[in-house]
Amino acid sequence: MSRFHEFAGAEALAEAMADRVAATLSEAIGARGRASIAVSGGTTPGRFFDALSTRPLDWDKVDVTLVDERFVPFDNPRSNHALVAGRLLKNAASAAHFLPLYQPEPTAEAAAATASRTAGALAAPFDVVVLGMGGDGHTASFFPGGSHLSQALDMGTDAPILSMEADGAGEPRLTFSFRRLQDARLLILHIEGEAKRSVLEKAQAGHEETEMPVRAVLRRAATEVDIYWAP
Ligand SMILES: O=C(O)[C@H](O)[C@@H](O)[C@H](O)[C@H](O)COP(=O)(O)O
């Protein structure tokens, strides 16, 4: 199930989504003393990060991590950590505690195992998960044809973080599993543009998850998905 939130433009979406996420994080801190959020990288979330970074809350009680990461170090322009450091972990949000997925290990598999003991050890469920979606219907690093796709989508998978390789992914990836993302207290899918709306409609019209892995989130996430969209 999902709820569709349409906005006139990207700025209005970013402000509304930042308000909703900030309220959820503050509520979590009030209820449990800390809050956790896993965010996606890519080109879509920048405005949202800028807006969220200004929201007044007890950021020193917020654990921030990534839904997925490219297997590259911080100084690589493809790094999602670098994106979050530059666009989110500033202003009020500079006080947040960030847990990276990338680890300086010889392989992505070894990095996934190490990250599973650090970022992956954050208490489940996340308070907030923000997903993006690619034109091929991937979300997180659940890519069609991915090397560990079935394991990543399997609710029986214990490992919180897995490596993933796929033709459409570029470098090897590190990704939280579907199981660790799907029950977030607030589960958002953030997409923008007409092309992505068409991809979403195609995903909603079918059921084969290996073809469009975002379908796993749309069809069987424990939490109802809040879809945020602007043209
Ligand atoms: O590491 C990543 O790239 C993201 O986590 C990925 O899942 C992203 O959300 C989609 O690929 C959409 O990316 P765009 O926002 O660039 O379209």
Side-chain angles (χ1 to χ4, degrees):
M1 289 296 291
S2 61
R3 287 180 288 257
F4 192 80
H5 308 271
E6 182 171 345
F7 296 87
E11 273 310 321
L13 183 156
E15 293 299 325
M17 200 168 127
D19 288 343
R20 177 83 183 281
V21 168
T24 302
L25 294 174
S26 293
E27 181 187 343
I29 292 165
R32 290 174 292 279
R34 289 195 71 80
S36 61
I37 177 172
V39 295
S40 290
T43 60
T44 301
R47 283 189 188 89
F48 158 67
F49 290 158
D50 291 339
L52 182 59
S53 76
T54 67
R55 294 315 191 256
L57 56 96
D58 288 337
W59 281 104
D60 60 325
K61 296 183 174 66
V62 180
D63 293 311
V64 180
T65 191
L66 287 162
V67 162
D68 64 333
E69 177 62 286
R70 297 79 182 271
F71 184 51
V72 296
F74 180 83
D75 61 0
N76 185 302
R78 291 272 296 160
S79 165
N80 284 337
H81 179 182
L83 171 73
V84 170
R87 300 294 292 271
L88 176 56
L89 302 178
K90 61 184 182 182
N91 302 320
S94 58
H97 177 228
F98 180 79
L99 296 98
L101 265 57
Y102 173 79
Q103 304 290 331
E105 301 281 0
T107 65
E109 286 74 12
T114 303
S116 288
R117 296 190 295 273
T118 53
L122 280 171
F126 283 113
D127 291 299
V128 180
V129 161
V130 181
L131 297 172
M133 185 187 71
D136 59 358
H138 83 261
T139 191
S141 283
F142 311 151
F143 286 87
S147 53
H148 295 119
L149 180 62
S150 57
Q151 190 183 355
L153 298 182
D154 183 349
M155 285 294 286
T157 295
D158 290 328
I161 296 172
L162 301 124
S163 64
M164 189 73 68
E165 294 188 48
D167 291 343
E171 55 282 293
R173 300 290 190 99
L174 302 170
T175 185
F176 269 98
S177 65
F178 170 72
R179 173 173 159 182
R180 281 292 274 108
L181 298 171
Q182 57 87 38
D183 59 354
R185 292 185 175 92
L186 174 59
L187 179 59
I188 290 176
L189 177 64
H190 175 200
I191 57 175
E192 294 181 3
E194 296 299 340
K196 293 241 181 122
R197 184 164 189 171
S198 299
V199 174
L200 174 68
E201 288 166 357
K202 180 183 177 188
Q204 290 172 320
H207 61 273
E208 183 47 62
E209 296 178 5
T210 57
E211 179 195 14
M212 298 185 84
V214 71
R215 286 172 173 156
V217 174
L218 297 170
R219 294 169 55 82
R220 51 189 180 96
T223 301
E224 185 167 10
V225 185
D226 280 291
I227 302 171
Y228 279 68
W229 180 82

